[in-house]
């Protein structure tokens, strides 16, 4: 079979590899579409600290079941599905308490273990989710959607809350959709007008270009001087975390999704003064996959509008190069396997 392999930073090849053989409790899947995550791009550019090489990238995918053992999930050959790519150990303190998304030895496909960029993969049956009639392209977008959906359920978001999402990349846009689904009035900040137009398309009540205006001043105008009830950081930058602190109301919630790579220095007494609640968010739960699949199936949101481009498998290197030099015009890029 064919496999996309990052041999070392900035070098991708489509190689011939052996077909996987399912073990007990595993299904054989024919991969249909894979999304390229920011973590995959980081592996490609050599900026992913958890990646070793060579590495098969990918953890956002849809697939068709080729073979599967008897199961109580009504999954059968021919079904179009997606799957949970975070492999937890089951025995650490987090896993024993049910926080499987925070496993201390978490191994995500495409990062700490080989991923989905192959024509065929095997997956444990308990990690596979029925697509409920969604298209293969839609199902390839479920995993990144669950990241934001999980994050927006880390802190209470009430109907009518004013929510600010800082960062309008795919994760930020999925955060916007998730907050709206909870009844919030959502505003989005970014430095690129093209991304802000995308946010408007997905129902943002308003947008802030923080490169052209003072984000705190705009936040106070929008909220009548109160600040936002919830601020979502979806960039992973020091400046955007600080913007969330500045724009948050007293006793507000701040949710961190962006994976920062630099230290942030600030006077922590501001957290005390405003009595802010700061929530980190990592990966997602099985129930988040089910909820997101149901939300997409309801027709409330067209996630395919998130897709900027689709490349065939033999042009995967072009897709990675495009995202590595993304000027903000690209949202989700899929690879057709």
């Amino acid at each position: 079979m064919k496999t996309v392999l990052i041999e070392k930073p900035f070098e991708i090849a489509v190689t011939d590899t052996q077909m996987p053989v399912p073990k007990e409790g595993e299904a054989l899947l024919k991969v249909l579409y894979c999304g390229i995550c920011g973590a995959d791009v980081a592996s490609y550019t050599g900026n992913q600290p958890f990646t070793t090489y060579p590495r098969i990238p990918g953890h956002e995918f849809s697939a068709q079941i080729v073979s599967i053992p008897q199961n109580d999930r009504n999954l059968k050959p021919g079904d179009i599905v997606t799957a949970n790519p975070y492999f937890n150990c089951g025995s650490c303190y987090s896993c024993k308490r049910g926080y499987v998304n925070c496993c201390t030895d978490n191994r995500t496909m495409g990062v700490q273990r080989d991923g989905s960029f192959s024509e065929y993969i095997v997956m444990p049956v308990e990690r596979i989710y029925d697509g409920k009639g969604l298209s293969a392209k839609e199902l390839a977008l479920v995993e990144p959607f669950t990241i934001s959906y999980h994050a927006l359920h880390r802190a209470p978001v009430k109907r009518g809350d004013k929510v600010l999402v800082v960062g309008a990349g795919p994760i930020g846009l999925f955060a916007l959709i998730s907050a709206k689904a909870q009844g919030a009035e959502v505003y989005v900040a970014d430095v690129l007008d093209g991304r802000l137009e995308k946010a408007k398309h997905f129902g943002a009540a308003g947008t802030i270009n923080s490169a052209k205006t003072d984000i705190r001043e705009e936040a106070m105008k929008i909220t009548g001087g109160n600040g936002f009830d919830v601020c979502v950081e979806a960039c992973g930058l020091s400046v955007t975390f600080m913007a969330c602190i500045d724009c948050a109301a007293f006793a507000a919630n701040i949710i961190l999704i962006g994976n920062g790579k630099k230290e942030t220095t600030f006077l922590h007494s501001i957290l005390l003064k405003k009595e802010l609640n700061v929530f980190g968010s990592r990966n997602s739960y099985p129930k988040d996959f089910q909820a997101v699949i149901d939300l997409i199936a309801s027709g409330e949101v067209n996630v395919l509008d998130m897709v900027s481009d689709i490349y065939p498998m033999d042009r995967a290197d072009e897709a990675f190069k495009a995202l590595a030099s993304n000027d903000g015009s690209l949202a989700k890029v899929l690879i057709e396997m």
Side-chain angles (χ1 to χ4, degrees):
M1 67 173 184
K2 298 293 184 183
T3 293
V4 175
L5 189 69
I6 303 177
E7 297 179 317
K8 59 183 179 179
F10 296 103
E11 288 192 17
I12 286 183
V14 178
T15 64
D16 290 315
T17 54
Q18 292 294 316
M19 281 279 293
V21 178
K23 299 175 184 176
E24 184 177 353
E26 291 183 335
L28 177 64
L29 306 179
K30 177 179 173 58
V31 181
L32 301 175
Y33 288 91
C34 288
I36 301 178
C37 174
D40 297 320
V41 177
S43 295
Y44 170 70
T45 59
N47 292 315
Q48 173 54 263
F50 304 118
T51 297
T52 55
Y53 303 93
R55 175 64 68 212
I56 302 169
H59 56 261
E60 309 171 359
F61 66 94
S62 60
Q64 185 173 38
I65 297 176
V66 176
S67 65
I68 190 168
Q70 195 72 28
N71 62 88
D72 58 3
R73 309 181 70 162
N74 297 317
L75 295 170
K76 59 188 184 303
D79 287 350
I80 308 299
V81 298
T82 189
N84 183 331
Y86 325 120
F87 283 73
N88 60 295
C89 70
S91 58
C92 70
Y93 187 48
S94 296
C95 286
K96 286 179 178 178
R97 291 182 295 152
Y99 302 119
V100 294
N101 63 316
C102 291
C103 173
T104 56
D105 190 34
N106 172 74
R107 297 183 178 275
T108 298
M109 292 174 62
V111 183
Q112 293 97 342
R113 60 185 292 154
D114 281 336
S116 58
F117 275 66
S118 290
E119 290 183 298
Y120 295 89
I121 60 173
V122 293
M123 286 292 290
V125 173
E126 68 270 13
R127 294 187 165 275
I128 301 171
Y129 301 104
D130 180 7
K132 296 188 177 180
L134 297 183
S135 71
K137 293 176 185 176
E138 290 172 313
L139 288 170
L141 298 170
V142 166
E143 189 278 338
F145 197 160
T146 68
I147 295 294
S148 299
Y149 184 90
H150 173 78
L152 266 295
H153 286 76
R154 288 280 291 122
V157 177
K158 303 183 298 296
R159 182 167 296 279
D161 275 355
K162 283 186 168 61
V163 174
L164 175 65
V165 177
V166 182
I171 295 300
L173 294 175
F174 281 129
L176 156 65
I177 296 168
S178 299
K180 278 180 59 64
Q182 292 171 259
E185 182 181 314
V186 190
Y187 295 78
V188 178
D190 201 283
V191 297
L192 299 172
D193 286 329
R195 285 187 168 183
L196 294 176
E197 285 302 314
K198 203 75 169 176
K200 291 176 185 176
H201 174 79
F202 282 107
T207 59
I208 302 170
N209 187 319
S210 54
K212 299 178 180 179
T213 187
D214 185 282
I215 188 171
R216 186 183 184 282
E217 287 183 8
E218 290 301 308
M220 293 304 124
K221 288 179 185 176
I222 291 168
T223 62
N226 296 322
F228 283 92
D229 302 298
V230 180
C231 290
V232 181
E233 199 291 313
C235 297
L237 302 174
S238 299
V239 65
T240 47
F241 176 44
M242 294 304 299
C244 286
I245 293 175
D246 289 341
C247 295
F250 279 61
N253 295 320
I254 294 175
I255 304 172
L256 306 178
I257 315 178
N259 191 2
K261 298 178 179 64
K262 294 184 179 180
E263 292 184 358
T264 300
T265 302
F266 65 99
L267 188 62
H268 75 269
S269 60
I270 187 63
L271 301 181
L272 282 65
K273 178 183 178 181
K274 297 179 80 170
E275 198 172 69
L276 297 175
N277 305 302
V278 181
F279 295 83
S281 185
R282 181 187 183 188
N283 297 338
S284 49
Y285 289 129
K287 66 180 182 181
D288 298 318
F289 281 82
Q290 301 283 7
V292 164
I293 290 170
D294 288 341
L295 181 57
I296 298 172
S298 73
E300 289 184 29
V301 57
N302 181 6
V303 292
L304 293 180
D305 288 345
M306 197 75 70
V307 178
S308 298
D309 212 341
I310 300 175
Y311 287 77
M313 186 181 188
D314 60 4
R315 291 174 54 205
D317 59 332
E318 295 177 43
F320 275 84
K321 287 176 183 176
L323 282 172
S325 59
N326 186 12
D327 61 1
S329 60
L330 296 176
K332 288 308 299 181
V333 171
L334 300 181
I335 301 292
E336 184 175 6
M337 306 302 287

